Amino acid sequence: MSRQTAVQSPDSSALARLPTVHRVAVLGAGVMGAQIAAHFANAGIAVRLYDLPADGADKSAIARKALAGMAKLKPEPLAASDVAALVTPCNYDDDLPGLADCQLVLEAIAERMDLKAALFERIVPHLSGQAVLATNTSGLSVEEMAGHLPAALRERFVGIHFFNPPRYMQLVELIPSRETAPGVLDSVETFLVGALGKGVVRARDTANFIGNRIGVFAMMVTVHHAQQYGLNFETVDELTGRRIGRPKSATFRTADVVGLDTLHHVLEGALANLPDDPWAKLYVAPDWLDDLIAAGALGQKTKRGIYQKVEGEIRVYEPATGEYRKRHAKVPGKVEKLLDTRDPAQYLPRLRALKDPQAQFVWAIHRDVFHYAAHLLGEIADTARDVDFAIRWGFGWDRGPFEIWQQAGWREIAALITADIDAGATPALVPLPDWVGEIDAAHEARASWSAADARFKPRSTLPVYRRQICPAMLYGEDGECGETVFETAAARVWHTGDDVLIASFKTKMHTVNDALIADLHRAVELAEREYAGLVIWHPDGPFSAGADLKSFMPVAVKSLLPGNNALDELLQRFQGMCIRMRRASVPVVAGVHGLALGGGCELMMQSDRVVAALESYIGLVEVGVGLIPAGSGCMEQARRADQAARGGDIFPHLRGIFETIAMGKVATSALRAREMGFLREADVVVMNREEVLGAAKAQVHALQAASYRAPAERPIRAAGREAVANFHAAMANMHAGGYISDYDMTIGLGVANALCGGDVDAGTELPEDWYLREERKHFCQLIRSPKTHARVAHMLKNGKPLRN
């Protein structure tokens, strides 16, 4: 029997639905199960984490150990220090009655049908009559699993396939059986998108579903052609990373991260489950993979795989000798020049025409992924949209295969693929499906192609998607969101047809420069005249990586000349912009996702409210380039410390802030940013980055509904010289222990003075301008140092801080 099942369309009239989720159970405390439980907890949902009973007094020790182990993992599964308390370790002997109060029960045990069937038999009597039962299988048949369940439960059974690591990977595949109720699918999708922040694609019940079916094929066809064209590992990684819109880890570095043993297991499963796949031969593990696994070189987890770090140098495995050698990858200039266009319409046809093996390689890996995706579309997915989002969200490509094909020219590329098939140049000689020649693109303005239904189908109309005002778009869909009010090289200021103005940065990494400062002033003034408020938000990340160091340094160098105040004036303009936002007569809300560092963090902190996606990474990191925050960051933290002290001793409230700034600490989630003082209790954290804009606009209206008035300026009590001395003593101890350098001490003293108000008595009430002058003074002193210049230059060149 075929594993393919119909992808059910949204049906709001269906009776069977997922009830409101207050508690979930995760069955299996292995790597995936424990981290899935952690992400439920990140969303504020109570979790029961089950595993086998352990020997001894604590029968839940296996689940408890898994929970404790998550605190040591990188990247962190837990988004805050207190969310682990929401996870209750359980065991199957004592705690199965606890399943009765769980609205969702997710199985995440080993990928063996017999084990899953036995577990289902054991738990079914304890489930409530409304609970949804789900499996996190990555490739077993959901339909076959459903056959092991009572008939009454099958309508509430579904596959929910998280990608690893579950917190960070946006993709979740939702897989129904034939009997899954449409209402269950709708409500589970709503829950995954809204409560957990995921990007959901509905997959058909076929081997490896959508993401792994296409993504693993893309990796293995790359391995195949690397061998065919005689390219070494490092050259392939040079060609298959950011140059073609894929992750920096490219192909073989990705394999090391995934684990070579894991990759081998996936290939074995593919061979077993896809015997009739015309490309099945590509899933045969190459000899070098077997050799590395036999040698215990499994990749990143064993610190040795395809790559190995030897005496500070990354070396690469050479299959011919079985040894590691120095890397030697060089992309020919003509190939490099074509790929640097970043335009598939420019580079794909031209690479095919070149006789260079690297050019032929890049063409071939694109061609074969297009061919494979087209061949499978009607079998594995409802539309091309599901395939492209699965690869974007699950494998980190900038665009999915149908998007790239469409961008390169749908009919032109189809003709070239057909020519290669006819010439016998492709790994499989099956023709392109007929539908390819019947359309001009996979994605239209408001719909994507469904090969199964032979028509273009629109996006889901589930209400949860109405919260995504400007969702991620595919190539060929409607482009720019909203109506532009004014636009410059630095910013676009626009609206979506209502009374909230939106400012979106256009600078690289959304860094702050003089032109952007001027645009923000103009946006605030416009909002005050004609709108209910202003939201700072960008369709793409990050929020802001801080000041534009490249444009900033020439001004800094000029400031070394006697009598030149250009740097101080620039800092005053930036500080003035930040304060202008806080003193605006209408609410200003920052919508944050991704990085908000340095000056970007300072801008964010001066807004009336922040709406931050969970995956926001926030910090004042200026010490990394030998400077201190000087865009109002120190002043704002001093103000918040004074407010928290409520007339009492300020120093205890500054201690953690000083350490955070002086060590350049970055919050690894929005929840941790709240713990570290970058976000306030009133600031809002949302799980889904696509909902940030809608929530930010709602905050503008909420503040206006409460008769918004800009906060009045009030003096800030200083911690003073005594606090500075205490911070100096703490740094002296760290310096004596070799933890910080002489120059770190100098920078730290600048931070301490800017936070504490300088050489004044504790409790002295000082105006904001006093603190702002302290920031500028110490910043300008540091910028004159050659050591700061060295730190800035190192950061610009390497993207990493220098300790000197």
Side-chain angles (χ1 to χ4, degrees), residues 374-391:
H375 178 77
L376 290 176
L377 178 57
E379 177 185 348
I380 67 174
D382 191 32
T383 69
R385 179 188 311 109
D386 297 308
V387 172
D388 282 342
F389 274 135
I391 297 303

Side-chain angles (χ1 to χ4, degrees), residues 728-746:
H728 182 268
M731 287 189 293
N733 288 334
M734 294 185 69
H735 183 267
Y739 295 106
I740 62 175
S741 67
D742 292 344
Y743 200 53
D744 290 330
M745 283 276 289
T746 300

Side-chain angles (χ1 to χ4, degrees), residues 489-491 505-513 516 548:
F505 302 171
K506 294 171 55 182
T507 52
K508 184 178 180 179
M509 295 290 286
H510 301 147
T511 51
V512 180
N513 58 24
L516 182 58
D548 180 0

Side-chain angles (χ1 to χ4, degrees), residues 268-287:
E268 288 179 332
L271 279 172
N273 292 321
L274 302 170
D276 299 325
D277 189 311
W279 287 264
K281 64 182 181 182
L282 298 184
Y283 292 105
V284 176
D287 291 341

Side-chain angles (χ1 to χ4, degrees), residues 635-791:
M635 180 276 292
E636 178 60 24
Q637 290 290 35
R639 188 165 69 88
R640 294 185 184 187
D642 182 23
Q643 291 172 344
R646 297 180 179 275
D649 186 4
I650 303 168
F651 182 74
H653 300 277
L654 277 180
R655 188 184 292 116
I657 292 170
F658 171 77
E659 180 180 322
T660 295
I661 297 176
M663 296 182 70
K665 292 182 178 180
V666 175
T668 53
S669 73
L671 296 180
R672 292 199 186 276
R674 183 176 282 154
E675 293 175 355
M676 294 166 67
F678 294 124
L679 296 182
R680 301 154 293 200
E681 285 301 316
D683 292 329
V684 176
V685 176
V686 298
M687 295 297 291
N688 197 318
R689 57 168 283 177
E690 303 294 346
E691 297 180 7
V692 169
L693 176 59
K697 291 176 66 176
Q699 287 297 309
V700 168
H701 290 133
L703 288 167
Q704 285 289 24
S707 301
Y708 174 80
R709 295 289 182 275
E713 181 182 354
R714 295 176 181 173
I716 301 168
R717 291 187 307 134
R721 66 178 70 88
E722 183 178 343
V724 174
N726 285 334
F727 287 137
H728 182 268
M731 287 189 293
N733 288 334
M734 294 185 69
H735 183 267
Y739 295 106
I740 62 175
S741 67
D742 292 344
Y743 200 53
D744 290 330
M745 283 276 289
T746 300
I747 299 167
L749 279 174
V751 173
N753 277 282
L755 280 174
C756 300
D759 188 17
V760 298
D761 294 333
T764 303
E765 293 189 343
L766 301 172
E768 290 181 359
D769 282 349
W770 178 286
Y771 286 89
L772 298 176
R773 284 196 300 271
E774 282 288 311
E775 288 181 1
R776 299 198 305 274
K777 179 179 75 175
H778 292 286
F779 187 100
C780 290
Q781 289 172 354
L782 290 168
I783 201 65
R784 295 186 175 94
S785 169
K787 291 189 175 182
T788 285
H789 291 189
R791 289 193 179 196

Side-chain angles (χ1 to χ4, degrees), residues 160-498:
I160 301 176
H161 178 214
F162 288 86
F163 273 57
N164 190 27
R167 171 185 160 187
Y168 298 94
M169 297 302 291
Q170 190 173 359
L171 177 63
V172 172
E173 293 175 317
L174 187 59
I175 311 103
S177 74
R178 285 185 176 85
E179 297 180 62
T180 307
V184 167
L185 284 176
D186 290 351
S187 54
V188 170
E189 181 171 351
T190 296
F191 171 72
L192 292 169
V193 171
L196 296 188
K198 295 303 178 184
V200 173
V201 300
R202 295 194 184 187
R204 298 179 187 274
D205 188 27
T206 57
N208 294 341
F209 310 130
I210 300 174
N212 283 337
R213 186 74 178 272
I214 303 296
V216 173
F217 173 83
M219 175 176 284
M220 295 316 297
V221 82
T222 300
V223 172
H224 168 80
H225 286 303
Q227 184 171 342
Q228 178 184 6
Y229 290 104
L231 305 183
N232 60 30
F233 295 127
E234 64 270 36
T235 298
V236 170
D237 279 352
E238 281 291 322
L239 291 167
T240 59
R242 294 306 304 151
R243 291 178 189 274
I244 60 171
R246 298 185 189 178
K248 186 178 180 181
S249 56
T251 301
F252 294 112
R253 281 173 288 178
T254 297
D256 272 351
V257 172
V258 169
L260 301 187
D261 54 339
T262 301
L263 175 60
H264 198 282
H265 175 73
V266 170
L267 296 180
E268 288 179 332
L271 279 172
N273 292 321
L274 302 170
D276 299 325
D277 189 311
W279 287 264
K281 64 182 181 182
L282 298 184
Y283 292 105
V284 176
D287 291 341
W288 58 260
L289 181 59
D290 291 328
D291 292 343
L292 283 169
I293 293 171
L298 306 181
Q300 184 171 279
K301 57 190 170 187
T302 59
K303 299 184 179 179
R304 185 166 62 104
I306 297 168
Y307 294 98
Q308 181 184 23
K309 194 170 187 177
V310 180
E311 298 178 350
E313 179 187 38
I314 302 296
R315 298 193 179 182
V316 63
Y317 180 72
E318 176 53 63
T321 64
E323 303 292 334
Y324 288 85
R325 57 165 174 76
K326 291 186 177 182
R327 293 176 294 174
H328 48 81
K330 182 171 177 58
V331 178
K334 53 191 174 183
V335 175
E336 186 173 36
K337 185 176 180 181
L338 283 172
L339 293 179
D340 282 348
T341 66
R342 298 294 196 268
D343 181 1
Q346 294 291 322
Y347 67 71
L348 280 180
R350 296 181 185 182
L351 288 173
R352 181 181 181 272
L354 292 176
K355 300 307 179 185
D356 182 276
Q358 294 193 25
Q360 290 292 305
F361 165 80
V362 175
W363 158 252
I365 64 173
H366 282 83
R367 173 200 66 204
D368 292 343
V369 171
F370 299 161
H371 189 183
Y372 195 66
H375 178 77
L376 290 176
L377 178 57
E379 177 185 348
I380 67 174
D382 191 32
T383 69
R385 179 188 311 109
D386 297 308
V387 172
D388 282 342
F389 274 135
I391 297 303
R392 281 169 59 163
W393 294 337
F395 287 81
W397 294 18
D398 292 349
R399 296 196 187 280
F402 290 116
E403 290 182 279
I404 301 169
W405 183 350
Q406 182 168 334
Q407 187 178 4
W410 185 264
R411 290 190 176 274
E412 294 82 355
I413 295 299
L416 294 177
I417 296 172
T418 297
D420 281 5
I421 296 169
D422 293 343
T426 61
L429 300 182
V430 296
L432 286 172
D434 291 342
W435 63 259
V436 170
E438 297 167 1
I439 63 174
D440 294 316
H443 307 293
E444 295 184 339
R446 302 182 187 278
S448 295
W449 178 254
S450 171
D453 294 336
R455 64 184 178 91
F456 284 91
K457 298 175 73 171
R459 287 188 176 220
S460 170
T461 58
L462 286 176
V464 69
Y465 292 111
R466 296 175 197 159
R467 289 147 54 173
Q468 300 182 9
I469 296 175
C470 294
M473 305 298 288
L474 295 164
Y475 186 86
E477 290 189 302
D478 280 341
E480 194 168 71
C481 182
E483 181 179 335
T484 300
V485 178
F486 73 84
E487 187 168 8
T488 70
R492 176 186 177 229
V493 177
W494 53 288
H495 62 76
T496 59
D498 58 15

